[in-house]
Amino acid sequence: MIREMVKEAFGALKYSYSPYSHFKVAAALLTKSGKIYTGCNIENAAYSPSNCAERTAVFKAVSEGERFFQSICIVNEDAKGNHDYCPPCGVCRQTLMEFVNPKKFQVILAKSENEYKIYTLNDLLPLGFGPENL
Ligand code: THU
């Protein structure tokens, strides 16, 4: 399944709209029911309305009725065509926090199908504020 997610994420890089940073990011979000939603970063001339790949994937999934997720795979490609591990930004970590159990949800950072690192959301956002805190 990890291999499939990495493939899907790399496949979504071509949709990245990143004319300002030239830094492509894509994500593949796996629902608990086994469906994958992909997303890419979408930049904007006014900069701040830009959206990260991870949030694009989450918003696509939630807007289609999905609320239960197991993991997300994140990949990137820089202006030179290189791939490196791309940790999610703080806003995306918080967005994920809304919908997952941070101790179980896995964040897979992949450089290739064979090179990846797995963290829990809790590793990346310890003591995160979520729905349970209200
Ligand atoms: N970006 C993402 O899509 N996800 C991340 O986790 C980090 C950053 C995007 C935002 C912007 O389009 C570009 O990468 C450079 O920051």
Side-chain angles (χ1 to χ4, degrees):
M1 198 37 142
I2 291 180
R3 183 157 294 207
E4 181 62 23
M5 291 176 75
V6 177
K7 263 193 200 158
E8 290 272 339
F10 272 110
L13 275 179
K14 63 177 172 291
Y15 301 120
S16 166
Y17 179 73
S18 42
Y20 307 104
S21 72
H22 303 289
F23 188 83
K24 297 178 184 178
V25 185
L29 177 67
L30 180 65
T31 68
K32 283 200 174 163
S33 58
K35 209 168 156 190
I36 292 177
Y37 286 83
T38 57
C40 64
N41 56 333
I42 304 169
E43 297 184 347
N44 188 281
Y47 294 178
S48 69
S50 300
N51 204 50
C52 290
E54 300 89 320
R55 274 176 293 144
T56 302
V58 172
F59 297 155
K60 277 174 67 180
V62 174
S63 66
E64 293 186 21
E66 302 282 354
R67 292 198 183 161
F68 302 101
F69 305 112
Q70 329 189 17
S71 54
I72 191 167
C73 172
I74 307 165
V75 303
N76 85 295
E77 185 177 303
D78 70 15
K80 291 181 178 161
N82 296 319
H83 307 290
D84 202 353
Y85 297 119
C86 180
C89 80
V91 174
C92 290
R93 294 178 198 204
Q94 183 64 35
T95 301
L96 288 163
M97 183 76 196
E98 186 65 25
F99 296 103
V100 307
N101 175 341
K103 295 226 158 103
K104 296 220 169 112
F105 183 80
Q106 293 186 316
V107 179
I108 303 157
L109 310 183
K111 273 211 276 199
S112 71
E113 273 181 45
N114 304 310
E115 293 171 287
Y116 54 83
K117 296 178 184 179
I118 304 181
Y119 301 89
T120 65
L121 183 60
N122 190 65
D123 292 332
L124 304 180
L125 190 66
L127 210 67
F129 184 87
E132 311 270 290
N133 298 103
L134 286 178

